[in-house]
Amino acid sequence: MSKLADRVPTGVLAAGLRAAFALPAPVRRLLTGPPRVVDGQTLHPDTQLLLRMQELSGTGWSTSSPATSRASLRRTAALVEGPRLHRVLTRQVRIDEHLKARHYTPQGLPDGSPLLVFLHGGGWVSGDLETHDDLCRHLAVGAGVRVLAVDYRLAPEHRFPAAADDADAAYRYAVANAGELGADPDRIALGGDSAGGNLAASAALSAADADHRPAFLLLLYPSLDATATGGSRDLFARGFFLTRPKMDWFMGHYAPDLSTHHDPRLSPLLAPDLSALPPTYVATAGLDPLRDEGEAFAARLAESGVPVVLRRHDGLIHGFANALGVGTSGREAVAEAIGALRTGLALRRA
């Protein structure tokens, strides 16, 4: 982070960011410059302003070390999150000796509700229950579901397949303890964003032959192919928050052994059979290095006969689901994902 970001309290920076978004459109355009067009898409004005403000304040996502990455992502998330939804009850859940989770229940939600097992993003190295608390609250309230947000082990202290094993354990725990969690065991979904989307897809594949398969799979700009090259990874390699050097850095910490990169637990897109996966909603960002693999995964699901909805959000970048407190684009995209989750789980009951 720059000296400015280090000197100024997060609350002050957040207030300044919100003030920038409240400026009239012509004034915001003076800050950002002319519209940027890449790959036939115009960068959304919200996104262009956010990237410019991060550049000016030095609050981008630093990856100089695992500790710096974690602190940087926590601060970045705090800057763009929305007002806290307080009509949600939370409690800690202990899954096993090393794995815990946070359980969200919207006030007034009856027992026997659907449950979403959610895996946060952060490149398998960073991210935690706090960086994604705002998103989990919106998912719970908007979709009318309980959420079990998993605090899985991070790399490099715990390398692949530790996080994937934790995702599997969390899903199995949710099924075995559905009653205690207030959930309907037949309506348990898996979901996640970015690296968490990778873990959700991996856990869904692992549960494909289980007695209780997931009812739904919610993937927000997921990482699905550790072997991928070219395409969107080249088009948006720099300048759009998630960069290719950052992606290489994360993978080098989580799965440095190249021989593991074809393992479906790390690269679900390479799994030989996807036909047993549940109905799935895949959201990609148009200006995201991970865009192509998310869309390829959706195409493979469709070819395998799995009901799937793919939604590309043109003009948006990786991480939009965390930007619920600035502009409107992130909230609108998350609202669409919430609607898909609610509908998919309602159809399961029917």
Side-chain angles (χ1 to χ4, degrees):
M1 292 185 186
S2 74
K3 293 181 179 179
L4 173 62
D6 290 336
R7 290 196 312 266
V8 180
T10 300
V12 175
L13 287 172
L17 183 60
R18 287 170 176 76
F21 272 86
L23 292 170
V27 180
R28 288 192 292 168
R29 185 60 69 197
L30 289 175
L31 282 172
T32 61
R36 291 178 62 186
V37 179
V38 183
D39 191 35
Q41 303 170 72
T42 300
L43 188 64
H44 194 286
D46 286 353
T47 304
Q48 191 167 351
L49 179 58
L50 180 59
L51 289 172
R52 178 60 175 156
M53 294 303 291
Q54 287 181 337
E55 178 186 357
L56 291 173
S57 62
T59 54
W61 191 3
S62 173
T63 53
S64 57
S65 71
T68 300
S69 175
R70 292 163 191 169
S72 177
L73 185 57
R74 281 194 293 270
R75 187 168 208 185
T76 299
L79 289 173
V80 298
E81 67 183 10
R84 173 160 292 188
L85 297 179
H86 290 290
R87 57 185 188 276
V88 183
L89 306 175
T90 64
R91 62 184 175 90
Q92 182 171 301
V93 171
R94 176 64 65 177
I95 293 175
D96 59 31
E97 66 275 7
H98 66 257
L99 184 59
K100 66 180 187 294
R102 181 177 293 165
H103 183 259
Y104 296 79
T105 302
Q107 290 182 2
L109 190 68
D111 284 346
S113 75
L115 173 73
L116 171 66
V117 178
F118 185 82
L119 291 309
H120 65 76
W124 305 281
V125 174
S126 48
D128 54 35
L129 298 181
E130 296 307 320
T131 59
H132 287 67
D133 178 73
D134 190 31
L135 176 57
C136 287
R137 288 172 183 269
H138 278 80
L139 290 169
V141 172
V145 302
R146 286 172 166 83
V147 173
L148 187 69
V150 183
D151 195 19
Y152 58 86
R153 290 172 291 173
L154 298 177
E157 297 88 345
H158 305 282
R159 289 183 166 144
F160 174 80
D165 289 343
D166 287 352
D168 292 347
Y171 178 72
R172 292 195 302 269
Y173 174 90
V175 171
N177 296 275
E180 191 273 333
L181 296 172
D184 177 352
D186 293 323
R187 290 188 293 157
I188 298 177
L190 276 162
D193 69 308
S194 191
N198 167 274
L199 298 175
S202 172
L205 283 169
S206 296
D209 296 325
D211 292 336
H212 276 88
R213 291 185 289 180
F216 194 78
L217 185 57
L218 178 74
L219 302 179
L220 306 176
Y221 37 83
S223 172
L224 296 168
D225 184 2
T227 71
T229 58
S232 61
R233 289 193 175 221
D234 285 346
L235 281 170
F236 315 115
R238 295 181 183 273
F240 299 99
F241 182 65
L242 179 65
T243 65
R244 189 162 59 188
K246 283 185 173 67
M247 293 168 62
D248 292 343
W249 186 87
F250 289 129
M251 190 62 69
H253 282 76
Y254 180 53
D257 182 354
L258 295 180
S259 69
T260 66
H261 288 196
H262 286 82
D263 189 320
R265 292 174 297 171
L266 183 60
S267 298
L269 179 60
L270 305 184
D273 184 9
L274 301 179
S275 63
L277 289 183
T280 300
Y281 176 84
V282 181
T284 62
L287 301 165
D288 180 2
L290 297 178
R291 182 192 71 188
D292 289 357
E293 59 206 73
E295 296 179 1
F297 189 73
R300 277 206 60 204
L301 288 174
E303 293 166 1
S304 301
V306 176
V308 58
V309 172
L310 168 66
R311 174 68 157 97
R312 178 195 288 189
H313 294 281
D314 285 340
L316 299 192
I317 61 172
H318 193 87
F320 64 71
N322 285 99
L324 300 177
V326 290
T328 61
S329 57
R331 290 199 302 272
E332 290 167 354
V334 169
E336 183 174 313
I338 287 171
L341 176 63
R342 176 185 281 274
T343 300
L345 291 170
L347 290 173
R348 177 60 177 258
R349 180 173 56 187

